[in-house]
Amino acid sequence: MTFTPGQLAARGDFYFQLANLVTAGVPIIQALEMARRHASRSLRGPLDTALARLSGGATFAEALQATGTWLPSFDLAVISASEQSGRLDRTLKM
């Protein structure tokens, strides 16, 4: 899958916003809900899917994986590893 510079910039902004919320102590479900309110239309569908999975007990990485090809496999692998190591906030900032 090929991403445009605009899509990459939107994803970077999303990660940064999510990192700031998680760093501030906001639980991941609430952080995603807040990010969804300010997200572009193209991000809302995948975020709805991820939120539904998280509410059902999935991990953050599992919830993002359920969105299909929305995220590159590299991003999913990094998010999964950072979630397991407890460094999700730091990883999202990068």
Side-chain angles (χ1 to χ4, degrees), residues 1 5-6 8 13 18 24-25 43 53 55 58 68 71 75 86-87:
M1 182 170 216
L8 293 174
D13 289 342
L18 199 57
L43 293 178
R53 292 295 177 111
S55 295
L71 286 179
D75 287 14
R87 297 172 187 240

Side-chain angles (χ1 to χ4, degrees), residues 8-52:
L8 293 174
R11 183 160 296 129
D13 289 342
F14 166 72
Y15 287 152
F16 188 74
Q17 180 183 20
L18 199 57
N20 286 332
L21 291 168
V22 171
T23 299
V26 176
I28 194 69
I29 292 176
Q30 289 177 327
L32 280 176
E33 288 170 345
M34 293 170 75
R36 188 202 173 282
R37 280 186 234 132
H38 302 288
S40 66
R41 190 177 322 151
S42 65
L43 293 178
R44 288 186 193 138
L47 291 178
D48 287 340
T49 300
L51 282 164

